[in-house]
Structure formats: C-alpha cells, structure tokens
Amino acid sequence: MLEDLTLKFDKALKKVTGQGRLTEQNISDTMRELRRVLLDADVNYKVAKSFIDDVKIKALGEEVLASVSPGQMITKILYDELTRLMGGTRSELTFSASGPTIILMVGLQGSGKTTFSAKLAKYLKDKNRKVLLTAADVYRPAAKDQLKTLGTQIEIPVFSIDESKDAVLISQESVKFAVANGLNTIIVDTAGRLHVDDVLMDEIKRIKAAIKPTEILFVVDSMTGQDAVNSAKAFHDAVDFDGVVLTKLDGDSRGGSALSIKAVVDVPIKFSSLGEKLDSIEIFHPDRLASRILGKGDVISLVEKAQIQYDEREAEDLEKKLLSNNFNFEDFLKQIKMIKKMGSLKSLLGMIPGLGTNLKNVDVDDKQLIKVESIIQSMTKEERGNPKILNGSRRMRIAKGSGNSIQDINRLIKQFKEMGKMMKMFKNNKNLQRAMKKGKGK
Amino acid sequence: MFKNFNLDKLKNGLSKTKKRLFDGIQEAISTKAVIDEDILDELEEILISSDIGVDTAMNVIKNTRAELYYESDRSKLNITQIIKNELESILLKDDKIASDKSSIIDKKPHVILVVGVNGAGKTTTIGKLAYNYKNAGLNVLIASADTFRAAANEQLEIWANRAGVKIIQKSTGADPSSVVFEALENAKLNNVDVVLIDTAGRLHTKSNLMKELEKIRNVITKVIPHAPNEVFLVVDGNSGQNALVQANEFSKSTKLTGLIVTKLDGTAKGGVIIQISAEQKIPIKYIGVGEGIDDLQDFDSKEFIEALFS
C-alpha cells in the first residue's frame, strides 16, 4: 500500500540528502518535487500547496537542527506534518451510553458501503456486540440481496422491508426491531448518492433526523481523485459525519484522498478497508500511515499482526533453537505455517522498514511458500531433523514425492544452509557487528 | 452506433466539469488583460484540480504559452480557443468510431467483455449497453461472469429484465469461465448478435484475479475464434491518477479495445478522460452521465469539447 508515494518521496529527498545544509535553493527544488509527488498521489491541489508551505517554513525556520542531515530533517518534518494533517492520533467509534448504538453509512456510488457495512458488522460482533444490519438502499438493483447474502455469511441478521421504497421508514423500523430483539448495534447501509443530487441528499438528511445516529461514517474510495474533498465537504455540510472510512486501500499508488479529506473537513479517518474478505478491516492509524508514506515502514502493524498469530511459547522455542543453531527443517515448516497465518508475504514485507520502496518491482509469490512446504513435507522425520543426511538419492526421492524438480530441492537446501550461516552470525552481538562491518567492505 | 446522443443531456451532466474547468479558466483570463505567469499558474491549478494530471496540464500550459508568444491577440476569447484546440487535439488523436450494426451482424456473435475495478459501474453499464443494443434491433445475451460478489447475479438479472434481454448465470462461486463458455455456446445455437460479459470487479494489483481474466479471454477465443470483439474497461469518472495505471494493467492481461467512463454526471472533474486519451492509446467509447437506463452515450470528443465550452 502506498509504495509508490514512498518511492517518490525517497526520490525527492535524494537531492537534499548529502548536502551540507538547507538553503532556499536546495529546499525549493525538493519542495517542487514534493509537490509533484503529492499531486500525482491525488492529494488535493490546495491541500498540497498549504502542506508544502508549512514544511518549507519549518525546514528553513528555527526548528532546523544542525546535528542532523538535511534528508533526516526533512523526513522528520514531513512525517510530523503528515501525521498532523491526517489527524494526529487515531480515533475510535463512539458507542451510545444508553440505548442502541446506531451507525449510519453514507457515500457515493461504488465507494464500498455495503461490503464495508458487513465488515464493520463482523468486526463489532467479534467485539461481542449484538449487531443488526439494515438494508436501506432502495434504489440499486439487488442491493438488499447483497447485504442479506453477506449477513448470512457472517451470521448477522439483516433487516429489510421488501415491499417498501421508503428508506427513512425502513431505517426507523429497523431501530424498533433491534430494540425489541435485544440488539444493541444497528448498522444502516444506505444507497450511494451523488453529492449534487438534491433529492437524495435530502433523503439522507431525513434518515439522520429520524434515527439520530450515534455515528455517521462517510465511505470513500481511496482511488478517488481531486474531487474527494468536494464530495466529502458536501456530505459533511449535509449530515455532519463523524468519521471517514477509506476503502480499496489494497490497491496501489493511492493515499492522496486520505491526506486531503481530513485537512478539508476536519473529521478523523476511522477505518481502512483493504480487501474483499470480510475481515480485511483495520482501525486507521494516521501516524503509521505517515510513517509508511515516508518509507520508515509500518513496524508497529507488523509486530501487532505477528503477535496475534504467533503463539508466544512457540516463538520462544524457535528463538532458542535459532540461537543454539539447532534450527532444522521441522522448525522451518512451523515458521512457514506461522507466516502463512499472518497474511500474504508481500503485505508483510511492505511493513518492514526500508523494504517498502524496494518492493515495487519484486514479485513476491506466496506460491513459493507452498512449494517449500511441499518439499519439506516430502522429507522423512529423520531428514527434517538432520538435513545433513540429504544425499543425492534422498533428494531425488523428495523431488519426485513433492512434484518438484531436483533443482528446486537443491536450491531450498542451499538457502537453508545459508540461513544457518546467518543464524550463527546473530549468535551474539559481537559477531553481528563484525558481520555488518564486513558487509560494508571494511 | 447509439443514436440517442443528446447534447443537452451531456451538457447538463457535464456542467459541473465545465463550471470547474472553463468558467475557472475564463475567470482567470478575464481579470487580466495580458497573459502573465500568474495567470498561467492559475490555469495550471484549474487543470490539475480537474484530475487532468500534472503532465497533461503542464503540456497544455507549455503549448499555450508557446502559442501566446507569437500571438498578438491575447483576448479571453482567443486564449479559450487556444486551450480548446490543445485539449481537442489530445482527444481527437485516439478517437475511433464504434462498431456499426452491419459489421456486428456480419460476424456474430459480437462478443463484448467488460472489466474494471470494484465499484466502477460495470454491471450498470452492461445494463445500459444491453438496452442500447436491443433498441438498435439486435438480439442480445448477457453472461453473468461475476460469480464472486454477493447478489451480483440478482443485480444483473434486474438489469437484463429492464433491457428485455436474456441472461446466462450460474450460482455464486462457480468458475466464471464456465459461465462464459455456456453463454457463448448458447449464443451460437440461438443466433445471438451481441454477447455482453460482465465480470467481477478486481483491483489491477491482484495478480491471481488478473490471471482469471486472461483465462476468461482465452476461453472466449477458444469458443469463438474472432472474439472477443471488444474488451471495455469501465473507469469511474471520480478516479484520480490511478485510472491510468488501471488502464495499463488491464490492457496487459486482456488487451483492451475501449474505455467507458462512468459517473460523469456527479463529478466536478472529467479531466481523467483527457488524460487517459492523451497518455493511453485506448479510445474512449462511451460515457455514463446518469443512473437511467438510457444514460449511456457515444463518446464524441468534438461534441465533448463543445459541451465543455458552450
């Protein structure tokens, strides 16, 4: 996600990195490139302009430190500004203190409201809330069927009135239904509407007035261009929404709208939605996104993701084994299984600092993992525990057994041996330091 | 081929674009008698804010500046004309005429594959295309190859009913290629003129889903060697710079023959059209300017520009 932006920031900063100090001239070159970066990323023209002005003033002003390099300094200023622009700290959903919590979803056509409604419903159900989904999109053909199908998948009831075309009435009735049935959270999915459509904008205002939602979430496609701020502003003027949801963030080279919307309507971005699976929903972390944009990597996300999936004892055992150099194919297989639980390799690699920008042209294939798995699974227990005994005929047998070529087997064993060498280097800090020095050529 | 092109409707739908793009320009121009850098900067802002893209905006400005260097007439009217010519020359380059009815009947079934990212408006566009081809007196069949999204079948079925055409569908989760296969066999047996294939929305970054499209394409060619006759990419008119990447990536896996730009009635932009036309070699075939079944129109770059200026 947002790899392109990171890549371009790096490029723009190359000019400043390595120069003695910041001057009006060298910073204006960088700022011009930065402007280009932001505009290419669909940051609103005016937002980009004021953002760059801020960065420029800070970079040339008193906050300049003599002890750090220009590149580091600008990165820091950019990071702080980006974080500030995108909302400072993360902001969570508000729940009603008394009575049911009502969440109203609004947005343009095709922004992803229905899919996100289902994701949010599942997310809240997993947090032990009793959720009802309301199908209040009475215009798009089969919209309520879509919500019903999704509701069945995640085992959440869906309220609809098949014979009614009155979205206000349906919303009202769904609240009554929820209260009568002991459900404490209602997510109302509404029709996509254009912010210039007065009739439908009036409808959404009437829905709001009728059910008095606890939260109104504006769903916006992260691929939207310069107009994202205009539609956000129009919806904000009409219903005064409380949060923004950015969808389709699993695509490439976007994020401009994330930068702009907060700046223009001053409403926090609360969730990001990154895929078609119903659990691909994340709380939006502005600081992490700023970090990711600047190529610092999203270490916190990676750690958290790993923590959820990684059995801690297992991890401890593995660490011991790694350090004692007893790591074998059996452990390797366990590790692969853990990685697979965490998500795709590419998404994991994208979170590692410094790798983000280099990842653009690397095609990380998760199928490789499956291949490695199949090879290891074709080994006997003895072979897994003691890879040294893998001679030619054993390798041939494994190749045939796993449906791979002998070259694949050889490659894996070679890689495994190299891993072993690396493990040795990590054994203690002294060794590691020496290895790193060696790597630098001195 | 669709004779329902209605300039007033287009003008109406695009009035937002016009307002931003050209009222803005005229405003910038009329306040000063002589073109200076400030005015050109302002023009650049107007162009970029319309999603025309930095490169295209810079080029238009550069060429306008060059023209103005030797131009003694720096009146508002003349500068508007220069910019209009610039934009028109970009658009006209890729302008191609959509297939006419007789060529469709000559080599039938005429197979149209419709692809795009999630939420671009593929299904709605298929409904409108079906209606238009039906109205042109052709025998139309829709293949519902979006077997992924919940209730995609139901949505398309409603559109098929509205347009009064047949539809081939399978249950959710079925192999989309098998739907395509069945639809094409059906089309051959039943003397169908036009087959419209709806596919699931997919982000161009998902390599497995893009491969699925390649497979669909291969199946089409296997059943009907001359097909697909058209592969349309549906692009949301609200899209920013990513629309270019989309066009690029989808082109790689399915060899696009045309673009359809949707939701042009609501956005203040439309600049994306100019940009795609300038940077891609794929012509724009139709534009969507509303939610009604007849709100799909032939893309005519000349009239498009006229509509922007009038």
Side-chain angles (χ1 to χ4, degrees), chain A residues 308-325:
Chain A
I308 298 167
Q309 309 293 352
Y310 230 77
D311 183 295
E312 255 184 54
R313 269 242 302 275
E314 232 173 284
E316 237 171 68
D317 281 354
L318 203 64
E319 200 184 317
K320 259 188 221 158
K321 284 210 163 170
L322 285 176
L323 293 179
S324 66
N325 207 19

Side-chain angles (χ1 to χ4, degrees), chain A residues 282-305:
Chain A
E282 276 180 12
I283 299 263
F284 183 79
H285 298 274
D287 46 343
R288 293 186 196 175
L289 195 64
S291 175
R292 190 126 87 181
I293 288 166
L294 296 178
K296 285 179 173 177
D298 189 358
V299 186
I300 313 163
S301 280
L302 180 63
V303 170
E304 269 185 9
K305 231 176 186 165

Side-chain angles (χ1 to χ4, degrees), chain A residues 35-36 40 42 45-46 109-110 140-142 146 194 223 225-227 230 248 250 252-254 276, chain B residues 44-45 48-49 51 55 118 148-151 155 203-206 238 240-242 263 265 269 291:
Chain A
R35 172 180 175 272
R36 171 71 193 246
D40 280 348
D42 294 322
Y45 188 91
K46 287 195 169 70
Q109 289 95 337
R140 183 162 61 94
Q146 186 184 354
L194 295 169
M223 295 187 266
Q226 295 279 324
D227 202 44
N230 295 332
K248 305 179 204 172
D250 49 330
D252 58 353
S253 69
R254 268 148 291 293
E276 303 199 55
Chain B
E44 183 206 85
E45 169 174 357
I48 289 174
S49 297
D51 282 321
D55 285 334
N118 315 63
F148 179 80
R149 184 165 60 89
Q155 187 183 350
L203 290 181
H204 51 283
T205 48
K206 309 251 158 119
N238 290 293
Q241 302 309 298
N242 200 242
K263 308 182 200 173
D265 49 330
K269 314 282 174 264
E291 297 198 74

